[in-house]
Amino acid sequence: DAGVIQSPRHEVTEMGQEVTLRCKPISGHNSLFWYRQTMMRGLELLIYFNNNVPIDDSGMPEDRFSAKMPNASFSTLKIQPSEPRDSAVYFCASSSRKGLAGGANTGELFFGEGSRLTVL
Amino acid sequence: KNQVEQSPQSLIILEGKNCTLQCNYTVSPFSNLRWYKQDTGRGPVSLTIMTFSENTKSNGRYTATLDADTKQSSLHITASQLSDSASYICVVSAAGGYQKVTFGTGTKLQVIP
């Protein structure tokens, strides 16, 4: 398996622009997570999907952030409009344990390589 | 509030030496604890998982310990190699129902020749 695939790996954009990050989870995994990582705050859960349904989006910073999972093999995280404080590395992770809660109570999280976002 | 604290924040050691990273947590009720390794520019990768009944678990040169009474875990690296240079993140999961995992902020290890 190719693992969790994220794109783009790097994105540089100007404040106010729309940013779309993409994720393809590992085939067969039923849970998908979007995380944001910064030096100051470490890894933060943004949103968690189980069987393509958003279960917990309490970590989404504000209405400028939205995430979708139209099918089991694809998810997007959109920021519109982007701001400089959104600069971070955004990770997508998937897991295969049934009934998993927003961070894998027992299951291993498989992370993608991340999308490094810089908003100027 | 569930918290995971790691120490030290950063560490520099000579190649071949041993080191120990610490993790203290207040997550309750406890389910399991994982150590992840994150190479620069890469996503975290799980090294080991510890459940309540396990005290020690090894994965090659990595040995994790867990003291559920004091809510402490350690990751010991033996005979360090340059490729061990990375951030090591302690992740603790709560038991029962829907609970988020709690991430530590990591220890950045640099192994120098």
Side-chain angles (χ1 to χ4, degrees):
Chain A
D1 198 317
V4 176
I5 299 173
Q6 291 187 246
S7 65
R9 289 295 312 277
H10 303 273
E11 175 91 7
V12 180
T13 190
E14 292 186 344
M15 183 174 62
Q17 296 299 306
E18 178 179 294
V19 173
T20 299
L21 308 179
R22 298 172 178 80
C23 175
K24 176 179 168 54
I26 292 173
S27 177
H29 283 191
N30 67 330
S31 298
L32 183 140
F33 311 84
W34 281 100
Y35 288 92
R36 178 171 66 180
Q37 187 177 42
T38 60
M39 288 290 292
M40 292 297 296
R41 302 171 69 92
L43 276 161
E44 301 174 286
L45 176 67
L46 299 176
I47 187 169
Y48 153 61
F49 292 88
N50 191 43
N51 293 324
N52 313 337
V53 177
I55 302 300
D56 181 5
D57 64 355
S58 60
M60 297 286 263
E62 46 197 273
D63 292 344
R64 297 184 298 107
F65 285 69
S66 63
K68 294 181 179 180
M69 191 165 186
N71 56 64
S73 60
F74 184 67
S75 178
T76 59
L77 177 67
K78 185 175 294 186
I79 308 172
Q80 167 63 21
S82 57
E83 296 182 2
R85 60 193 169 116
D86 301 331
S87 298
V89 181
Y90 291 81
F91 285 100
C92 176
S94 69
S95 186
S96 64
R97 297 296 292 270
K98 187 176 182 180
L100 218 50
N105 278 0
T106 56
E108 178 179 351
L109 291 169
F110 293 82
F111 286 84
E113 299 290 55
S115 294
R116 179 175 293 277
L117 173 64
T118 302
V119 183
L120 304 175
Chain B
K1 181 181 177 182
N2 290 337
Q3 288 187 313
V4 176
E5 295 183 352
Q6 292 188 243
S7 62
Q9 283 190 332
S10 62
L11 182 63
I12 300 175
I13 62 172
L14 291 174
E15 184 179 12
K17 298 296 186 182
N18 304 334
C19 68
T20 300
L21 314 180
Q22 299 290 343
C23 174
N24 296 338
Y25 62 91
T26 59
V27 175
S28 183
F30 175 83
S31 174
N32 65 78
L33 182 150
R34 286 187 182 270
W35 283 93
Y36 283 80
K37 179 187 179 187
Q38 184 176 19
D39 292 317
T40 300
R42 308 292 295 272
V45 176
S46 178
L47 288 174
T48 183
I49 178 173
M50 306 287 290
T51 58
F52 186 86
S53 60
E54 295 173 310
N55 300 117
T56 304
K57 184 173 285 187
S58 292
N59 177 3
R61 294 180 297 101
Y62 300 100
T63 299
T65 65
L66 175 67
D67 186 332
D69 292 330
T70 61
K71 298 185 178 181
Q72 295 179 326
S73 176
S74 65
L75 181 68
H76 185 75
I77 305 175
T78 304
S80 61
Q81 299 177 358
L82 298 178
S83 59
D84 293 329
S85 295
S87 289
Y88 292 84
I89 303 171
C90 178
V91 183
V92 184
S93 299
Y98 171 66
Q99 294 283 351
K100 296 181 181 179
V101 294
T102 305
F103 288 81
T105 53
T107 293
K108 188 174 179 62
L109 173 66
Q110 185 178 358
V111 181
I112 58 176

